[in-house]
Amino acid sequence: MKKFILSALVALFGFAAASAQGTIFNNPANRAYFGVRVGADITCPGNVKSGPLSIDMFGNGAGIEFGGIYNIPLVANLYIEPGVKLFYDTYPVDDLVSGDGDWTTEVDMSIRKFGMRIPVMFGYHFDFTPDVKVSLFTGPEFEVAFSGKCHASVDGESASESIYGDDGMNRVNLLWGVGAGIEFSRFYLGFNGGIGMLNMSGDSQVKFHENRVTISLGYNF
C-alpha cells in the first residue's frame, strides 16, 4: 500500500510539473486583449557630433507617456503588440552662459516636446501561474512630435521658440525598443529602453540621437 501511494504521488507531481511547464511556454488560454499604459520617461540624448568634434550638449530629462496597446497571440506564447501613445518629454541644454567679458549670466534652457508614439513589439511571455506572467519583448517604435519648443529663462525673463524649421531638429524619430514586463492578474509593470536610430539634427553635418528609458504601469482588459 505504501509503495502504491508513493508511486501515485510521484505520478501526480510529475503530471503537475509537466502541466505547469506546458503552461509556461504554451498557455492554451491565450487571447487577444486591449490594455492601457502610463509611463515615466527618461530621455537620454547623445552627444552632438560634427566631424571629429563631440560635444556633451544635452542632459537627461523627464517626461510622461499615456496610451493603449493591443496584444495579439501568434504561436504558443509568442505575441505581437502594437500600440498608440501620447508623450510629453523634456531635457535640459547644459551650461549655457550669455554676456561679454565684463558681465555674464547663466541661461536656463530646455527642450520640450509633445507628440505621438506607435510601438510594434514582438514578445514572448512565460506564464508561471494563471495570475503571474513575465514577458520579454523587442521591436521598432515610430515617434513624431506635434510640437517642440526650446524654452529659455534669463534673469527671470523667459521665452520659447520652435525647434523645427531650416537646420532645426527633426520631428520624426525611429527607436528600437527592448524590455521586460510583469503581469499580476490584470495589472502590468514594464521596463523598456529605446535606442534612437535616426539623426535628430536637421543639419546633415551635425548628428545626435535621442534614446529613452521608460517605466510603465498598466491594466489589461
Side-chain angles (χ1 to χ4, degrees):
M1 177 63 69
K2 290 182 179 179
K3 290 183 179 180
F4 175 77
I5 294 175
L6 181 60
S7 298
L9 289 174
V10 170
L12 178 62
F13 285 128
F15 175 77
S19 298
Q21 186 177 24
T23 302
I24 288 177
F25 298 105
N26 186 5
N27 190 342
N30 286 330
R31 62 179 181 85
Y33 61 83
F34 288 98
V36 293
R37 300 287 186 266
V38 59
D41 291 339
I42 302 175
T43 304
C44 309
N47 288 359
V48 177
K49 300 179 180 180
S50 179
L53 298 178
S54 179
I55 303 172
D56 185 8
M57 185 175 178
F58 303 111
N60 296 339
I64 188 170
E65 68 171 22
F66 175 79
I69 57 90
Y70 187 55
N71 188 290
I72 307 169
L74 297 176
V75 177
N77 288 354
L78 182 69
Y79 65 88
I80 181 173
E81 188 177 275
V84 177
K85 301 175 183 179
L86 298 176
F87 72 90
Y88 179 75
D89 285 345
T90 70
Y91 55 88
V93 181
D94 287 343
D95 301 328
L96 286 182
V97 175
S98 66
D100 53 31
D102 299 325
W103 171 85
T104 60
T105 185
E106 186 173 340
V107 181
D108 183 11
M109 187 175 292
S110 61
I111 304 297
R112 305 178 181 185
K113 292 184 174 184
F114 168 72
M116 180 178 68
R117 295 176 179 140
I118 303 177
V120 181
M121 296 293 126
F122 294 86
Y124 202 95
H125 56 84
F126 304 89
D127 299 3
F128 294 100
T129 75
D131 291 327
V132 179
K133 302 178 182 180
V134 176
S135 58
L136 302 176
F137 54 85
T138 187
E141 185 174 49
F142 175 78
E143 180 179 289
V144 58
F146 300 144
S147 68
K149 300 287 186 180
C150 180
H151 181 82
S153 179
V154 183
D155 292 336
E157 299 291 332
S158 61
S160 295
E161 183 176 346
S162 175
I163 59 177
Y164 305 118
D166 296 339
D167 295 332
M169 294 177 63
N170 288 327
R171 291 180 180 270
V172 174
N173 195 9
L174 180 65
L175 301 95
W176 191 266
V178 60
I182 302 172
E183 295 180 38
F184 180 76
S185 185
R186 294 181 180 272
F187 296 94
Y188 174 85
L189 172 64
F191 305 87
N192 68 281
I195 301 172
M197 300 193 297
L198 299 184
N199 179 21
M200 297 307 294
S201 172
D203 183 349
S204 60
Q205 303 301 315
V206 178
K207 300 183 183 300
F208 85 98
H209 297 80
E210 287 181 0
N211 309 303
R212 192 181 67 255
V213 176
T214 302
I215 301 173
S216 58
L217 298 174
Y219 185 83
N220 300 324
F221 296 96

